[in-house]
Amino acid sequence: MTRSPISRRFGRYKMQHAAAYAIGAALHRAPPFPSASDNNRIQTLARRITQCAVSTTLKIATPPGDATHIVYRNKRRCRSGLCPPCARKRAWETVKRIAAVLDAVIVASPDMRFALLTLTSRNMPIEAVSDMLRLQESAMARFFRAKAVRNALQGHVTGIEIAIRSEDGNWQAGVHSHSLAALCDSYFDRTKPIYLSQRAIVDLWRAALRVDYKPICHIRAIPNSDAAHASLTECLKYAVAPHRLFERDNGGFSVDPLVAAHLANALYKRRMCRTAGVFSKPRRPNAEGTAV
Ligand SMILES: [Zn+2]
């Protein structure tokens, strides 16, 4: 029997709820860090995420005369990027907010083209994840400031993402970013040298990262505005890719306390989403007084 979309979504919500308990439990068991303030912060977060999971109720309801829907109630949301239900909610709010900006950009410039840009760096041990985020941020700032990039792009929305993987019991973190980039008008005009080839992107990102290896980068043109919306969701979907974080055991989830603690420190007060150019300018009424 194939499951309906709503029951699949309900299954996903239940899994995220169980994962929140697992994250809370892992943080409670986190190994001590040298700094007392780090430890206090981690224990406070552990309590908040556990409270968040405890106060959540989740059920499927079909009121008479109404469609079946999921009832998700939580009056004590922890709003942590590490809590899967809160991260889902936050991503949804961010996508909704920026989708409205994207709509305004498309209305103002119906011919604008977009591209999806992915910038990565090499995996490193989980202990380095905070430093890696800082490096990604400063490298992104250098990359988007580079003349060739400024000439080609009118703005971008970027989400930074952490992917975790275990290799022979050693945890590694990979940091990368996905950007929805608004391209300049003559970007695809071969008579104007502003087009960024795959190779040019690799060279620019390598210089921005200040490394001597060839980092993995992709740039892909987006065919139309529907696809631009889908790419926006792709860019902002989560800060920590959940698949590898949770190891399933006996039907439940388990999270390595060390990994959870390093992620908690890395995500503390960090913005994982950036906007620039056409995506950050407020759309003001034009000279004729009509909104553009
Ligand atoms: Zn939460």
Side-chain angles (χ1 to χ4, degrees), residues 9-10 19 89 113 200 280:
R9 186 143 57 93
F10 187 63
K89 180 108 179 156
R113 296 289 310 269
S280 61

PDB file of all heavy atoms in Angstrom, residues 9-10 19 89 113 200 280:
ATOM      1  N   ARG A   9       4.246  12.727   5.528  1.00  0.00           N
ATOM      2  CA  ARG A   9       4.712  13.923   6.231  1.00  0.00           C
ATOM      3  C   ARG A   9       4.605  13.703   7.750  1.00  0.00           C
ATOM      4  O   ARG A   9       5.489  14.083   8.512  1.00  0.00           O
ATOM      5  CB  ARG A   9       3.893  15.141   5.797  1.00  0.00           C
ATOM      6  CG  ARG A   9       4.391  16.440   6.372  1.00  0.00           C
ATOM      7  CD  ARG A   9       4.272  17.579   5.382  1.00  0.00           C
ATOM      8  NE  ARG A   9       2.915  17.770   4.917  1.00  0.00           N
ATOM      9  CZ  ARG A   9       2.056  18.619   5.482  1.00  0.00           C
ATOM     10  NH1 ARG A   9       2.425  19.344   6.510  1.00  0.00           N
ATOM     11  NH2 ARG A   9       0.849  18.756   5.014  1.00  0.00           N
ATOM     12  N   PHE A  10       3.514  13.060   8.172  1.00  0.00           N
ATOM     13  CA  PHE A  10       3.324  12.789   9.596  1.00  0.00           C
ATOM     14  C   PHE A  10       4.457  11.878  10.118  1.00  0.00           C
ATOM     15  O   PHE A  10       5.012  12.110  11.190  1.00  0.00           O
ATOM     16  CB  PHE A  10       1.958  12.131   9.818  1.00  0.00           C
ATOM     17  CG  PHE A  10       1.602  11.967  11.268  1.00  0.00           C
ATOM     18  CD1 PHE A  10       1.449  13.073  12.083  1.00  0.00           C
ATOM     19  CD2 PHE A  10       1.427  10.707  11.818  1.00  0.00           C
ATOM     20  CE1 PHE A  10       1.121  12.929  13.426  1.00  0.00           C
ATOM     21  CE2 PHE A  10       1.105  10.559  13.158  1.00  0.00           C
ATOM     22  CZ  PHE A  10       0.951  11.668  13.964  1.00  0.00           C
ATOM     23  N   ALA A  19      13.961  12.550  17.055  1.00  0.00           N
ATOM     24  CA  ALA A  19      15.345  13.007  16.905  1.00  0.00           C
ATOM     25  C   ALA A  19      15.643  14.151  17.878  1.00  0.00           C
ATOM     26  O   ALA A  19      16.760  14.264  18.398  1.00  0.00           O
ATOM     27  CB  ALA A  19      15.598  13.445  15.470  1.00  0.00           C
ATOM     28  N   LYS A  89      10.774  24.350  11.116  1.00  0.00           N
ATOM     29  CA  LYS A  89       9.871  25.501  11.190  1.00  0.00           C
ATOM     30  C   LYS A  89      10.609  26.779  10.774  1.00  0.00           C
ATOM     31  O   LYS A  89      10.092  27.602  10.027  1.00  0.00           O
ATOM     32  CB  LYS A  89       9.361  25.597  12.634  1.00  0.00           C
ATOM     33  CG  LYS A  89       8.432  26.723  12.887  1.00  0.00           C
ATOM     34  CD  LYS A  89       7.023  26.215  13.085  1.00  0.00           C
ATOM     35  CE  LYS A  89       6.104  27.382  13.373  1.00  0.00           C
ATOM     36  NZ  LYS A  89       4.734  27.118  13.040  1.00  0.00           N
ATOM     37  N   ARG A 113      17.589  36.194 -15.034  1.00  0.00           N
ATOM     38  CA  ARG A 113      17.947  34.767 -14.985  1.00  0.00           C
ATOM     39  C   ARG A 113      18.643  34.487 -13.663  1.00  0.00           C
ATOM     40  O   ARG A 113      19.247  35.372 -13.059  1.00  0.00           O
ATOM     41  CB  ARG A 113      18.893  34.417 -16.150  1.00  0.00           C
ATOM     42  CG  ARG A 113      18.290  34.578 -17.527  1.00  0.00           C
ATOM     43  CD  ARG A 113      17.237  33.514 -17.834  1.00  0.00           C
ATOM     44  NE  ARG A 113      17.704  32.159 -17.557  1.00  0.00           N
ATOM     45  CZ  ARG A 113      18.310  31.378 -18.457  1.00  0.00           C
ATOM     46  NH1 ARG A 113      18.538  31.813 -19.670  1.00  0.00           N
ATOM     47  NH2 ARG A 113      18.681  30.144 -18.133  1.00  0.00           N
ATOM     48  N   ALA A 200      36.227  28.927 -13.945  1.00  0.00           N
ATOM     49  CA  ALA A 200      36.440  30.249 -13.340  1.00  0.00           C
ATOM     50  C   ALA A 200      35.935  30.263 -11.895  1.00  0.00           C
ATOM     51  O   ALA A 200      36.581  30.821 -10.998  1.00  0.00           O
ATOM     52  CB  ALA A 200      35.728  31.324 -14.159  1.00  0.00           C
ATOM     53  N   SER A 280      18.433  41.789  -0.886  1.00  0.00           N
ATOM     54  CA  SER A 280      18.387  42.453   0.420  1.00  0.00           C
ATOM     55  C   SER A 280      17.886  43.893   0.336  1.00  0.00           C
ATOM     56  O   SER A 280      17.603  44.499   1.353  1.00  0.00           O
ATOM     57  CB  SER A 280      19.751  42.404   1.106  1.00  0.00           C
ATOM     58  OG  SER A 280      20.691  43.060   0.332  1.00  0.00           O
TER      59      SER A 280
END
